[in-house]
Amino acid sequence: MLDTTFIFDLASKAPTPGGGGASAYAGALSSALGSMVGNLTVGKKRYEAVEADTYIVLEKLAALRTRLIELVDEDARAFAPLAAAYGMPKATPEEQDAKDEAMQSALIGACDVPLEIMRSCAQVIGLCEFLAYNGSRMALSDVGVAVAFGKAALLGASLNIYINAKDICDRERAEAYTAEAERLIEDASALADTLYAYVLDEIR
Amino acid sequence: MLDTTFIFDLASKAPTPGGGGASAYAGALSSALGSMVGNLTVGKKRYEAVEADTYIVLEKLAALRTRLIELVDEDARAFAPLAAAYGMPKATPEEQDAKDEAMQSALIGACDVPLEIMRSCAQVIGLCEFLAYNGSRMALSDVGVAVAFGKAALLGASLNIYINAKDICDRERAEAYTAEAERLIEDASALADTLYAYVLDEIR
């Protein structure tokens, strides 16, 4: 029986888990599909030549999955100070200053987490490149699903960076966030598209 | 504490859950994000004019989510007869005939489930169109994440249709499967792209 707690928590009007945590979760699903392909590759005579490398890929995917699962919760924890800052009073100049300060610090946290989600997903997609060209042919379609999810997670997490970076007063810092998000999308989502197209071409 | 059973089941070398079930799961996440946006829209003075329609969208999303969760298991059940058919003996012409027959019937089942996953995801993306333009502006980025996941689920499920349709002897039937998969991708993933671009443009 499938545990649907996360799905139903997501559907509720509670602000977390939201799009950020869901993106970390989708990244974990992507790494899991990559691991399945790796696990179907090792121990087979036909793939003996790539077995040692596949074990390394499997270890890296497992570490990224552990981190992405942690990031589901970290995304929720990064949202709490933001919500608290929104709720602070601003009747006096002192209150306004304190609110602004709390808000700026919360916005940084709310960019750091989705950026780490994006970096992790980009790495998962990179590891899928090895699996697409060297992994078990029987599971090639699962590599295609993995990169489709990795790309969706990347795009999903980026939206939280764009939203929060917009309100960061330190423009240099804000632009560093959005520039890295854009670069990750440009590189890793292009690789995801290439790999998906390769899989589609091979299986049809 | 996040339940990670599905993620770890996916990572194992067991053939199910695999890319098909994961796609149904991602579709359920997509519908859940849409529901979150709807739930943040209803009961607010600002969105009073769209409240009745939003309740209808919420009901449809909940029904699609229930169905997609069932399809996670149905995808696994559709794989069992396929695996059994692969394992049947083919030493005599009679055995070969019996094996071919079992295989053809299993391939149909293994196309029907991902096609229903695709249809459901296309409907989720369609409902997200209403939410993008009428739902709570506070949760607009979550609509963007929802359509990114819906598209990934659509693409993921299509791979299982292409793989299985290739081996179906009834070519008319096989081509009907792939034609519908292609049409769903063409229409619903174009809509997903349009909505994602709209969200990105609004929030930046």
Side-chain angles (χ1 to χ4, degrees):
Chain A
M1 194 54 205
L2 189 64
D3 184 282
T4 53
T5 313
F6 184 73
I7 296 171
F8 285 97
D9 285 354
L10 201 57
S12 85
K13 74 173 177 184
T16 59
S23 297
Y25 196 98
L29 291 177
S30 173
S31 84
L33 281 163
S35 291
M36 180 176 87
V37 179
N39 284 322
L40 285 166
T41 305
V42 296
K44 300 264 165 71
K45 187 113 197 100
R46 182 171 170 194
Y47 302 107
E48 223 172 8
V50 296
E51 181 163 287
D53 286 339
T54 306
Y55 272 118
I56 295 170
V57 166
L58 279 168
E59 253 178 60
K60 289 182 179 171
L61 284 171
L64 288 164
R65 182 161 57 254
T66 301
R67 188 68 195 119
L68 283 160
I69 289 169
E70 289 168 358
L71 285 163
V72 175
D73 288 328
E74 284 181 27
D75 189 76
R77 281 202 297 277
F79 184 80
L82 199 61
Y86 273 113
M88 284 170 73
K90 50 176 181 178
T92 68
E94 290 74 22
E95 281 180 353
Q96 181 69 62
D97 285 351
K99 182 178 180 142
D100 289 346
E101 204 179 312
M103 186 73 84
Q104 289 302 312
S105 139
L107 285 168
I108 301 284
C111 281
D112 280 335
V113 175
L115 193 55
E116 200 186 334
I117 296 170
M118 288 188 76
R119 286 181 190 141
S120 302
C121 290
Q123 287 184 64
V124 170
I125 294 169
L127 295 166
C128 285
E129 186 174 22
F130 174 87
L131 295 166
Y133 301 126
N134 302 284
S136 169
R137 305 309 283 171
M138 251 180 54
L140 184 59
S141 70
D142 298 296
V143 180
V145 184
V147 297
F149 286 14
K151 178 180 171 178
L154 201 68
L155 292 175
S158 75
L159 295 177
N160 275 6
I161 297 176
Y162 296 136
I163 282 188
N164 293 314
K166 199 165 62 174
D167 294 333
I168 292 176
C169 294
D170 178 348
R171 292 318 299 160
E172 206 173 314
R173 187 156 193 171
E175 276 153 31
Y177 280 125
T178 54
E180 186 173 348
E182 277 165 12
R183 206 183 56 241
L184 283 163
I185 286 179
E186 208 168 304
D187 296 347
S189 98
L191 177 57
D193 288 344
T194 301
L195 296 175
Y196 185 86
Y198 167 75
V199 169
L200 195 57
D201 202 47
E202 289 287 309
I203 66 170
R204 288 189 80 154
Chain B
M1 192 55 204
L2 189 63
D3 183 282
T4 54
T5 313
F6 184 72
I7 296 171
F8 286 96
D9 285 353
L10 201 56
S12 86
K13 74 172 175 183
T16 58
S23 297
Y25 196 98
L29 291 176
S30 173
S31 84
L33 281 163
S35 292
M36 180 175 87
V37 178
N39 283 322
L40 286 164
T41 305
V42 296
K44 301 266 166 67
K45 186 112 197 102
R46 183 172 168 191
Y47 302 108
E48 222 172 9
V50 296
E51 182 163 288
D53 285 340
T54 306
Y55 272 118
I56 295 169
V57 166
L58 279 168
E59 251 176 65
K60 290 182 179 171
L61 284 170
L64 287 164
R65 184 161 55 256
T66 301
R67 188 67 195 121
L68 283 160
I69 289 168
E70 288 167 357
L71 286 163
V72 175
D73 288 328
E74 285 182 24
D75 189 76
R77 280 201 297 275
F79 184 80
L82 199 60
Y86 273 114
M88 284 169 74
K90 49 176 180 176
T92 67
E94 290 73 24
E95 281 180 355
Q96 182 68 62
D97 284 352
K99 182 179 181 142
D100 288 347
E101 202 179 315
M103 186 74 83
Q104 290 302 313
S105 139
L107 285 167
I108 302 284
C111 281
D112 280 334
V113 174
L115 193 57
E116 199 186 336
I117 296 171
M118 289 188 75
R119 286 182 191 140
S120 301
C121 291
Q123 288 183 63
V124 170
I125 294 169
L127 294 166
C128 284
E129 184 173 23
F130 174 87
L131 295 166
Y133 301 125
N134 300 285
S136 168
R137 304 309 285 172
M138 252 179 54
L140 183 59
S141 69
D142 298 296
V143 180
V145 184
V147 295
F149 286 14
K151 178 180 170 177
L154 200 67
L155 291 175
S158 75
L159 295 177
N160 276 5
I161 296 175
Y162 296 138
I163 282 188
N164 294 314
K166 198 165 62 175
D167 295 331
I168 292 177
C169 294
D170 178 348
R171 293 318 299 160
E172 206 174 316
R173 185 154 194 172
E175 275 153 32
Y177 280 125
T178 55
E180 185 172 348
E182 276 164 14
R183 205 183 60 238
L184 283 163
I185 287 180
E186 208 169 305
D187 295 347
S189 98
L191 177 57
D193 288 344
T194 302
L195 296 175
Y196 186 85
Y198 167 75
V199 169
L200 194 58
D201 201 50
E202 289 288 309
I203 66 169
R204 288 191 79 155

